Amino acid sequence: MVDVIDSADARAEASDEAKPRRPVPSWVITVGSLVVLLGAWEIFGRDINPVFGSYPSAIAEAFWQLARSGKLWTALLDSLRPFFLGYGLAILIGVPVGLITGRFRTVEAAIGIYITAGYAMPLVALVPLLVLWLGLGFAVKVAVVFLMSVFPICINTWLGVTAVPKTLIEVGKSFVAPNSVILRRIILPATLPYMMAGIRLAVGRAVVAMVIAEFFTSISGLGAIIITSANNFDTATMFVPIVVLMVMAIGLNYLIGAIERWVAPWQAEIAGRDE
């Protein structure tokens, strides 16, 4: 009888060990990482001269003061208008140009070199020239955001088209599909992961371009808060728009990822990523 009970316990223990452990949710790891980082920053940041640095509680207090006065929301709105217009134009133009460049050899030979050069060119150096052309207002800010974000989208889409398996295109040709149908029904879905990666990369460049445009043109928006606070040696207030921009970029990155999972749900199934 004792042997029967012992064998049953052994089988139960073996089944418990055989059960796969549930992985820790990603959001738990992310929250834990943030808590550790902010805690260390809060502890060690208090020992730093306020002129040279700040800490989370002081930044939160400065955020509250700016938000309560309304200056933060006004500046954020001034910055978001050229950002979204320039970034949206970059997507609308960069994706089709990348698709056509990767699909047709003659187009690639004609404009591929300019796309590569445009991505590598220090576009910040062109801001004074753009100011001469477009003035100091809204148009030049849109142009700076557009120029700094269109090339990553275009190049990633272009590379995605060249990575499409040749067999897929041959299947379309075997059904006598025209080039427009092959581009829309075969190449575009296969290129979506590359395209969305380019759009994600362009978010960071667009945020940087927005601030650069506000520094070099009419000083307004979140860039104005950064410059004014830096000139007044108010480091905590200076960090507020920086943190806001970082949070905005992270939020847009997650939004783009959600859109990618919606338009290309098969990508997550074929990915080799460990959970």
Side-chain angles (χ1 to χ4, degrees), residues 21-46:
R21 294 183 178 180
R22 295 181 60 185
V24 180
S26 298
W27 67 268
V28 174
I29 301 174
T30 302
V31 171
S33 174
L34 284 173
V35 169
V36 172
L37 175 63
L38 295 177
W41 186 7
E42 180 73 24
I43 293 171
F44 296 105
R46 290 179 176 272

Side-chain angles (χ1 to χ4, degrees), residues 160-236:
V161 173
T162 58
V164 175
K166 188 177 180 180
T167 53
L168 294 179
I169 299 175
E170 290 177 349
V171 169
K173 289 182 178 180
S174 66
F175 284 97
V176 200
N179 280 327
S180 59
V181 175
I182 293 175
L183 190 64
R184 189 175 68 254
R185 298 291 183 87
I186 298 176
I187 295 177
L188 181 59
T191 311
L192 273 175
Y194 294 86
M195 187 190 310
M196 300 305 291
I199 293 174
R200 284 190 178 192
L201 290 174
V203 168
R205 289 175 65 96
V207 170
V208 173
M210 177 183 68
V211 178
I212 289 174
E214 291 173 345
F215 284 174
F216 284 88
T217 62
S218 60
I219 300 177
S220 61
L222 296 176
I225 297 178
I226 295 175
I227 291 179
T228 304
S229 303
N231 291 337
N232 294 331
F233 300 101
D234 187 359
T235 310

Side-chain angles (χ1 to χ4, degrees), residues 80 83-84 87 199-200 203 206-207 245-259:
L80 288 181
F83 170 81
F84 280 116
Y87 183 59
I199 293 174
R200 284 190 178 192
V203 168
V207 170
L245 290 173
M246 292 170 62
V247 172
M248 184 183 74
I250 293 172
L252 288 173
N253 190 50
Y254 275 105
L255 177 61
I256 295 169
I259 294 174

Side-chain angles (χ1 to χ4, degrees), residues 88-107:
L89 288 174
I91 296 174
L92 290 177
I93 294 176
V95 170
V97 171
L99 287 172
I100 295 172
T101 304
R103 179 70 184 96
F104 302 105
R105 183 183 60 83
T106 54
V107 178

